[in-house]
Each structure stands twice: as structure tokens, then as C-alpha cells.
């Protein structure tokens, strides 16, 4: 009978209504998870799973392990946090920014996705995140957000790098250069810690080597069945050598 009822319901209820109802349910679930974060100042592992699930977009979101590391680092963040690629991490950062008083600049290449993320930030009254919409452009051998370094405040010391999405359509060498651009375009000469997601991507080791060769970056990695990311350290050159 339930099957019969379901197919009957499907034939009389417009699919737009069903999608709308699902979206409302997801939004409520996300609001509940964020309320716990607001009240407690951090989410338990179970709370992080709930936030991750409520946000949805599972094919593109970071894993819960990375979300937990982002939460841990944001707990002591000061100044401006730079984020490359927006999503669940942006919303998490937005709540913690309200609590701890830092600001977040989040770069997004996809205008429709930027609108969706901004809409969620507005609905949750998260005013400390600025989503900067910037399409990718070709710079030398890599694709990077079309953004002037001067648009970024000087006090960036934590970077969450989970973007951009560099498609194969850019060609083999640009695709392999992946997220290389974040250091030469925005971080060279700054002292910063960067969480680089997707260390299991075959392009990651080559990029880390280039950052080390070109900018003296050092890194450590987390790579197990729960997730894979790198923590990259950049030190500013000694005074007078800049
Ligand atoms: C890997 S996502 C992750 C963002 C965020 N750190 C998170 O965990 O949710 C990074 C980029 O993928 C793109 N993206 C996100 N969702 C997408 C979707 N459903 N379809 C296509 N691209 C998407 C967006 O441009 C976004 O900046």
C-alpha cells in the first residue's frame, strides 16, 4: 500500500513542490546544526556529521575530518581568514567568525553557487563573510581566480584551500597546475598557515613540491581512511629581502 500511495502522490503532487519541501527540510536541519554550534562554540564529531549531512552537496563538499580541522583552527583564528572555494566550510567559518570576531573572505568561481552560499549566509545572519565572485582566468601555466591581490586585507594568516575547481577542459598543464596559484597570486611574502584539502588528488604532491621549491613552503599531511589533507606553512622572507 505505501508503494501505491507513493506513486499516487507522485502523480498528483507537482515535483517542484516536492523539491521545495525537501529544501525547507534541509534548511531547517542546517539551522538546527548551526544553533548547536552557536551555543556551544564548537561541534562534536557527531555534530560535524550532522552539519555536513544537512549542507548536502556531498559530491563536492570536503569530508568531515577536514571540516573538523577547519573548526579547530578557526577556534583560534585572528585577522582575516581567506577561503578558496565555498560551501560547508564557509558556513562553519561564518558562525565561528561571529563568535571570535574575525573576518572571512571567500573566493568563488561559480556565480550560481556564490548566490546559493550568500543566500544561506544571509538567512543565518552571518555578516562577517564576504563571498567574492571571481571567475577563473589563465595566469602563466595555471588557472586562478580573477582577483587583484590588493583586494585582500593584509592580515590574512589562515587559508582554507578547497578550490578552485580546475576542469580538464583547461588542458593538461593547467589542469595539473591545479591550486598552485594561491601562493604566487595571494600569499607570497606573507606568513600564513594553509589547510589544503584533497591531498589524495594525484596533482597534490607536485603542487606541494613546487611551493617548496619556489616559495620555501613546508608541510605535514594527514592521510588515512577518514580523509586526506595537507597543512602548509609559509614564512615571510627576512626583513629587507622582500
Ligand atoms: C570542492 S567545493 C568545496 C567547498 C567547501 N570547502 C565545502 O567543503 O563545502 C569547491 C568548489 O566546487 C564548486 N562546486 C561546489 N558544488 C558544486 C556542484 N554541486 N556542482 C559543481 N560545482 C560545485 C564550487 O565552485 C566550489 O567553489
Amino acid at each position: 500500500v505505501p508503494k501505491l500511495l507513493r506513486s499516487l502522490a507522485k502523480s498528483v503532487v507537482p515535483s517542484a513542490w516536492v523539491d521545495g519541501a525537501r529544501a525547507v527540510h534541509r534548511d531547517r536541519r542546517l539551522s538546527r546544526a548551526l544553533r548547536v554550534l552557536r551555543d556551544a562554540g564548537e561541534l562534536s564529531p557527531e555534530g560535524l556529521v550532522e552539519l555536513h549531512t544537512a549542507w548536502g552537496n556531498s559530491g563536492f563538499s570536503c569530508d568531515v575530518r577536514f571540516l573538523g580541522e577547519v573548526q579547530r583552527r578557526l577556534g583560534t583564528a585572528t585577522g582575516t581568514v581567506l577561503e578558496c572555494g565555498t560551501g560547508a566550510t564557509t558556513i562553519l567559518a561564518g558562525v565561528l567568525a561571529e563568535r571570535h570576531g574575525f573576518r572571512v573572505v571567500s573566493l568563488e568561481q561559480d556565480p550560481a553557487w556564490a548566490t546559493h552560499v550568500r543566500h544561506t549566509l544571509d538567512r543565518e545572519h552571518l555578516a562577517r563573510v564576504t563571498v567574492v565572485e571571481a571567475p577563473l582566468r589563465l595566469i602563466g601555466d595555471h588557472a586562478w581566480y580573477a582577483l587583484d591581490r590588493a583586494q585582500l586585507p593584509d592580515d590574512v594568516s589562515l587559508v582554507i584551500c578547497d578550490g578552485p575547481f580546475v576542469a580538464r577542459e583547461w588542458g593538461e598543464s593547467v589542469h595539473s597546475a591545479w591550486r598552485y596559484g594561491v601562493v604566487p597570486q595571494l600569499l607570497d611574502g606573507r606568513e600564513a598557515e594553509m589547510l589544503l584539502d584533497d591531498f589524495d588528488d594525484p596533482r597534490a604532491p607536485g603542487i606541494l613540491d613546487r611551493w617548496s621549491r619556489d616559495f620555501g613552503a613546508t608541510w605535514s599531511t594527514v592521510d588515512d581512511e577518514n580523509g586526506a589533507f595537507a597543512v602548509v606553512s609559509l614564512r615571510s622572507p627576512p626583513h629587507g629581502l622582500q
Side-chain angles (χ1 to χ4, degrees), residues 2-229:
K3 208 169 170 191
L4 186 68
L5 271 180
R6 262 206 309 277
S7 56
L8 189 66
K10 258 190 185 165
S11 63
V12 292
V13 179
S15 66
W17 290 12
V18 176
D19 290 348
R22 283 202 183 118
V24 168
H25 175 69
R26 233 185 2 255
D27 291 350
R28 288 209 180 123
R29 197 171 168 182
L30 182 66
S31 287
R32 268 200 306 274
L34 296 181
R35 207 172 308 129
V36 176
L37 175 59
R38 273 195 191 91
D39 291 348
E42 65 174 351
L43 288 174
S44 64
E46 297 74 30
L48 287 168
V49 171
E50 179 58 19
L51 169 62
H52 191 261
T53 310
W55 174 251
N57 201 30
S58 54
F60 274 83
S61 272
C62 63
D63 53 56
V64 175
R65 176 74 172 274
F66 187 73
L67 205 56
E69 187 64 20
V70 168
Q71 167 175 263
R72 196 172 76 75
R73 304 254 169 182
L74 289 173
T76 55
T78 54
T80 302
V81 174
L82 169 66
E83 181 180 53
C84 308
T86 62
T89 43
T90 316
I91 308 304
L92 175 73
V95 174
L96 294 176
E98 296 291 330
R99 188 176 183 97
H100 298 292
F102 57 83
R103 296 212 157 264
V104 185
V105 174
S106 298
L107 311 183
E108 180 49 57
Q109 70 202 81
D110 178 342
W113 188 248
T115 301
H116 172 64
V117 173
R118 277 199 198 108
H119 178 74
T120 307
L121 291 166
D122 288 348
R123 202 184 59 232
E124 296 294 334
H125 308 289
L126 302 175
R128 287 182 166 265
V129 182
T130 306
V131 176
V132 177
E133 213 174 293
L136 297 192
R137 69 175 170 201
L138 194 59
I139 307 173
D141 74 345
H142 56 274
W144 189 247
Y145 300 98
L147 170 93
D148 191 340
R149 185 184 165 121
Q151 283 175 260
L152 206 60
D154 284 334
D155 63 348
V156 170
S157 59
L158 177 63
V159 184
I160 303 164
C161 188
D162 194 12
F165 172 68
V166 182
R168 286 195 180 275
E169 287 73 62
W170 283 94
E172 185 45 39
S173 66
V174 175
H175 179 254
S176 340
W178 196 39
R179 298 171 181 168
Y180 175 73
V182 63
V183 179
Q185 302 309 325
L186 300 178
L187 301 178
D188 186 19
R190 293 183 199 256
E191 195 157 320
E193 294 278 302
M194 171 163 60
L195 295 179
L196 174 72
D197 197 19
D198 305 321
F199 178 67
D200 49 354
D201 188 297
R203 296 169 289 182
I207 298 305
L208 287 163
D209 281 342
R210 279 184 77 185
W211 284 338
S212 160
R213 236 184 2 256
D214 299 350
F215 306 102
T218 55
W219 69 87
S220 58
T221 57
V222 170
D223 189 1
D224 59 29
E225 69 281 2
N226 296 319
F229 62 87

